[in-house]
Amino acid sequence: MQLVILTGMSGSGKHTAFKFLEDFGYYCVDNLPVQLLTSLVELAERNDSNTLVAVGMDIRSGDSIHLLRDVLAEMDADGKNYSIIFMDAEDEILLKRYKETRRNHPLAGGDRLEKGFMREREELSFLRERADYVIDTSHLLTKDLRGELQKILVDHSEYKSLFVTVLSFGFKYGIPADADLVFDVRFLPNPYYVTELRHMTGNDDEIQHFVMDNDTAGEFIDRLGGLIEFLIPNYIEEGKNQLVIAVGCTGGKHRSVTVANRLYERLSSGDTYGLRIEHRDIEK
């Protein structure tokens, strides 16, 4: 039997994750009382040793969530095969999701939502520390979440705990609030002032040649790529789950897109992290 304990913060996407687990052939039980976990495992093992079972256990269990420490210790002693997936997200993202759904946080009571999240993190800290996989859904699209779960549970490939997003943007529209690292490429040649190039974007060859056809641009890409390649393994060791690298120019259409594409190509060879690219303002 393969058991997955799905846990994590309220609003982190556990409900969506359960749908994907069902698609992967898992028998899913959400909000199972802690006291019944051992019985469920024994029943599943008696019926079929190849059964795939996913159990949702989180702060909805109330004070009994702390009983899970002892239950897991017993399962470890009995040699049970299980893994823990902890779903997480930044507090600002969780707050936004809760406000959109207008739901009450189970630990907030009469206090603000922020207090509920703080209490929940404290209550679930032991599970996050024990987790085999921590998935930060702050900036993951639904398809990205499915892909991460498939890597872990279906493909059994090495899980990449750090997800890197290379993001181009225009300073005139504001610096991305979720950016970890921000780089200003407004020192590079600007195609906007060439009439026949103005309507194009950094995805077009003509723009790429215009922006990169100088020693300064090439040296910048080399130095930036080297810096990021140095930082990534240190971020992974520190336990960081998300890294957003924002590259900005004036309008977010030409220079930033070009440089973001080149950086993405440079980082694509890495096999210890997930990677995606996004052009926030390219259509503006």
Side-chain angles (χ1 to χ4, degrees):
M1 184 202 70
Q2 181 176 339
L3 171 66
V4 172
I5 299 175
L6 186 65
T7 185
M9 295 293 292
S10 304
S12 61
K14 296 192 297 295
H15 181 70
T16 301
F18 260 116
K19 292 181 180 179
F20 295 142
L21 291 177
E22 289 178 347
D23 293 343
F24 298 155
Y26 280 79
Y27 176 76
C28 298
V29 182
D30 191 17
N31 200 19
L32 180 74
V34 177
Q35 298 88 336
L36 297 181
L37 179 58
T38 302
S39 299
L40 176 65
V41 171
E42 293 174 351
L43 179 62
E45 288 179 331
R46 284 201 300 268
N47 287 343
D48 185 354
S49 59
N50 295 318
T51 301
L52 303 178
V53 179
V55 177
M57 311 189 80
D58 50 46
I59 204 62
R60 291 171 295 174
S61 298
D63 292 337
S64 64
I65 190 65
H66 296 290
L67 299 176
L68 190 54
R69 297 176 188 264
D70 295 332
V71 174
L72 293 178
E74 293 175 4
M75 291 175 58
D76 290 337
D78 292 338
K80 302 297 183 183
N81 178 32
Y82 70 92
S83 57
I84 300 175
I85 298 178
F86 192 98
M87 307 278 290
D88 204 351
E90 298 169 2
D91 285 349
E92 295 80 4
I93 301 295
L94 296 175
L95 180 61
K96 179 181 178 182
R97 291 173 182 172
Y98 255 83
K99 286 187 175 180
E100 289 175 350
T101 60
R102 299 183 179 180
R103 296 182 60 197
N104 293 322
H105 190 281
L107 295 184
D111 289 330
R112 294 179 295 115
L113 284 172
E114 289 90 336
K115 292 288 186 66
F117 294 138
M118 183 172 63
R119 293 167 184 158
E120 184 176 16
R121 289 200 182 281
E122 293 174 356
E123 295 289 325
L124 297 181
S125 60
F126 77 98
L127 277 173
R128 198 180 196 284
E129 292 171 0
R130 288 203 50 160
D132 299 282
Y133 311 99
V134 176
I135 301 179
D136 189 326
T137 66
S138 300
H139 311 293
L140 289 186
L141 300 176
T142 301
K143 64 181 181 66
D144 295 328
L145 174 58
R146 181 185 179 93
E148 293 301 297
L149 290 171
Q150 181 166 331
K151 291 176 187 176
I152 296 170
L153 302 174
V154 180
D155 301 336
H156 302 292
S157 60
E158 183 177 353
Y159 178 62
K160 299 174 181 179
S161 60
L162 177 66
F163 204 92
V164 179
T165 300
V166 180
L167 173 67
S168 71
F169 73 97
F171 278 97
K172 66 189 295 184
Y173 304 112
I175 297 175
D178 57 347
D180 297 292
L181 302 171
V182 178
F183 298 96
D184 184 349
V185 297
R186 288 177 290 188
F187 61 89
L188 295 175
N190 192 352
Y192 179 84
Y193 297 109
V194 180
T195 303
E196 58 268 29
L197 298 179
R198 183 176 300 176
H199 68 285
M200 298 181 183
T201 75
N203 288 329
D204 295 310
D205 291 338
E206 293 87 344
I207 298 297
Q208 294 172 19
H209 291 316
F210 184 91
V211 173
M212 298 301 301
D213 191 20
N214 60 87
D215 293 338
T216 300
E219 183 177 354
F220 176 73
I221 291 296
D222 286 339
R223 294 194 177 205
L224 177 59
L227 173 63
I228 301 303
E229 288 167 347
F230 166 77
L231 290 173
I232 283 177
N234 288 283
Y235 283 140
I236 293 175
E237 184 177 354
E238 187 267 339
K240 192 173 182 62
N241 303 115
Q242 291 281 340
L243 176 64
V244 179
I245 305 169
V247 181
C249 63
T250 304
K253 186 174 182 178
H254 299 119
R255 293 169 290 180
S256 62
V257 174
T258 298
V259 172
N261 284 337
R262 291 298 176 93
L263 180 60
Y264 176 80
E265 292 171 5
R266 168 89 179 242
L267 298 177
S268 292
S269 60
D271 59 0
T272 59
Y273 51 87
L275 181 67
R276 71 174 180 180
I277 189 167
E278 180 181 344
H279 302 304
R280 190 190 72 176
D281 302 324
I282 194 171
E283 300 296 336
K284 293 181 180 178

